[in-house]
Amino acid sequence: MSSKMASTLCPDCGGEARFVGSIPDSYIFAGSILRAPLAGGGLYQCTKCGLGFRSPRLSKDALDYLYAQGSDKAWTDSIDRRPDWRIAHDWLLANIHTGAAVLDIGCFDGAFLESLAQNYRCFGIEIHPEARHRAAQRGVEIVGRDFFDLEGQFDCIVAFDVIEHVESPRRFLEFGVDHLKSGGRLLVSTGNFDSFTFRFMGSRYWYCSIAEHISFISPAWVRRQVPALGVKIEGMTFFSHANFRFRQSAKQVAANVLYRFCPRLFASLRRMGMGRIDVRRFPESIDYPPGWMSAKDHFLFVLRKA
């Protein structure tokens, strides 16, 4: 089905959405190579609430199956390599009292929570079975595999690179706030749909081409949700997903500009081995965008429950 023929109603507010552009197909999901590429569909933006989203997209059951089959190393990381983890770590220590209950949604192998274990009671939610096992070995109390099955309340809930994976970001925030104690905080980090590089590249941006990314929010979208959620924004920080030296950053800028304005030349260079992608094995990857991890295209915000 053509992406332009798919429903263009916003999955959050039901408003009409405009077509931004086609998203390239992908042969990778959650770090695992697929037998057949997943159709990229189209990128849309709601004209009412501003949410960006992929359409059409797989059902939740189909997505959950792919996540469970994903690589058990897909999101392995360390706090010294993750700017958002460092920001959140320092913020928690400065603002959340010792002994508080901290829940990490999509905790994967528990690496972030491990850095807080001496100060807080750490809980996690994770869909991948092997990652759940490794998190438990690190002392994380696993309380579920799906956020919407959660019970109980917490002093602080964190979600790094999770909200872009859910069909309804507004429902995700509502559910998170519901599971906070009075005065509790919800801390979320994700890509910024309104960042310069995202707007420059549109539907051919590396971030929205990742197959498991289906929803894209912005600071303006977050501010629109605040009145209905009964929360206030306690902080907002903008950052690059990874730190690179100038030379590496310049290469990423050049690759994306070339991809944006000279796609045929870019495809020719990719056939010659640029980007270390085997286009003979994965011919659809000829149109897949280069990464731009050095771009300042992420943001982290903190919501405080009344």
Side-chain angles (χ1 to χ4, degrees):
M1 178 171 58
S2 167
S3 59
K4 291 186 181 182
M5 293 175 62
S7 171
T8 55
L9 294 181
C10 175
D12 248 353
C13 72
E16 290 289 335
R18 67 179 182 88
F19 179 73
V20 177
S22 297
I23 299 174
D25 298 347
S26 177
Y27 65 93
I28 296 177
F29 191 99
S32 290
I33 296 175
L34 304 172
R35 294 180 179 177
L38 285 175
L43 177 65
Y44 291 82
Q45 183 173 23
C46 179
T47 57
K48 183 178 179 182
C49 72
L51 178 72
F53 60 94
R54 181 193 298 261
S55 180
R57 52 197 183 193
L58 297 176
S59 67
K60 186 178 184 304
D61 287 344
L63 290 171
D64 285 350
Y65 173 80
L66 288 172
Y67 282 120
Q69 302 303 310
S71 169
D72 63 355
K73 301 293 192 299
W75 292 287
T76 299
D77 225 321
S78 60
I79 195 167
D80 59 314
R81 295 174 52 188
R82 289 286 301 264
D84 53 346
W85 285 12
R86 293 196 299 272
I87 294 167
H89 176 273
D90 294 344
W91 186 90
L92 262 73
L93 291 179
N95 294 277
I96 304 298
H97 64 84
T98 301
V102 176
L103 170 69
D104 186 353
I105 305 168
C107 69
F108 201 60
D109 60 7
F112 173 72
L113 289 175
E114 187 178 37
S115 71
L116 301 171
Q118 292 185 342
N119 300 89
Y120 305 109
R121 291 177 291 135
C122 298
F123 303 85
I125 291 174
E126 176 54 47
I127 192 171
H128 196 286
E130 177 58 31
R132 283 201 305 271
H133 177 68
R134 296 207 306 270
Q137 289 183 317
R138 281 177 153 152
V140 178
E141 183 176 337
I142 300 298
V143 293
R145 62 183 299 275
D146 190 309
F147 182 50
F148 296 108
D149 294 331
L150 181 65
E151 296 181 358
Q153 291 188 311
F154 302 85
D155 297 290
C156 184
I157 297 175
V158 300
F160 303 104
D161 294 326
V162 171
I163 198 168
E164 65 271 20
H165 296 249
V166 304
E167 182 174 3
S168 174
R170 183 176 67 181
R171 184 179 171 220
F172 180 86
L173 293 185
E174 289 172 347
F175 203 79
V177 171
D178 285 345
H179 288 276
L180 288 175
K181 297 177 181 177
S182 178
R185 276 79 158 216
L186 175 62
L187 187 155
V188 176
S189 74
T190 186
N192 178 5
F193 189 49
D194 198 36
S195 65
F196 168 77
T197 49
F198 211 139
R199 288 184 284 110
F200 175 68
M201 298 299 292
S203 64
R204 295 168 67 83
Y205 196 42
W206 75 274
Y207 189 77
C208 70
S209 296
I210 296 173
E212 54 265 38
H213 290 183
I214 60 176
S215 298
F216 311 100
I217 68 172
S218 66
W221 180 90
V222 173
R223 295 186 184 101
R224 290 190 184 101
Q225 311 309 313
V226 167
L229 290 172
V231 298
K232 69 174 184 178
I233 299 175
E234 196 164 76
M236 190 173 287
T237 304
F238 301 86
F239 61 94
S240 300
H241 193 61
N243 295 321
F244 289 91
R245 294 181 179 179
F246 175 78
R247 189 172 182 178
Q248 293 172 300
S249 298
K251 286 183 177 179
Q252 292 187 355
V253 172
N256 277 274
V257 170
L258 182 66
Y259 176 75
R260 173 70 171 79
F261 293 109
C262 304
R264 291 184 179 179
L265 177 57
F266 181 90
S268 296
L269 292 172
R270 180 158 277 175
R271 289 190 189 96
M272 296 169 60
M274 186 186 79
R276 298 190 296 273
I277 293 178
D278 187 352
V279 296
R280 290 173 297 181
R281 183 183 177 189
F282 307 107
E284 65 281 349
S285 65
I286 196 73
D287 195 42
Y288 199 76
W292 204 341
M293 301 283 283
S294 61
K296 198 171 185 179
D297 60 359
H298 277 62
F299 74 118
L300 180 153
F301 59 93
V302 180
L303 304 180
R304 180 167 185 163
K305 185 175 182 177

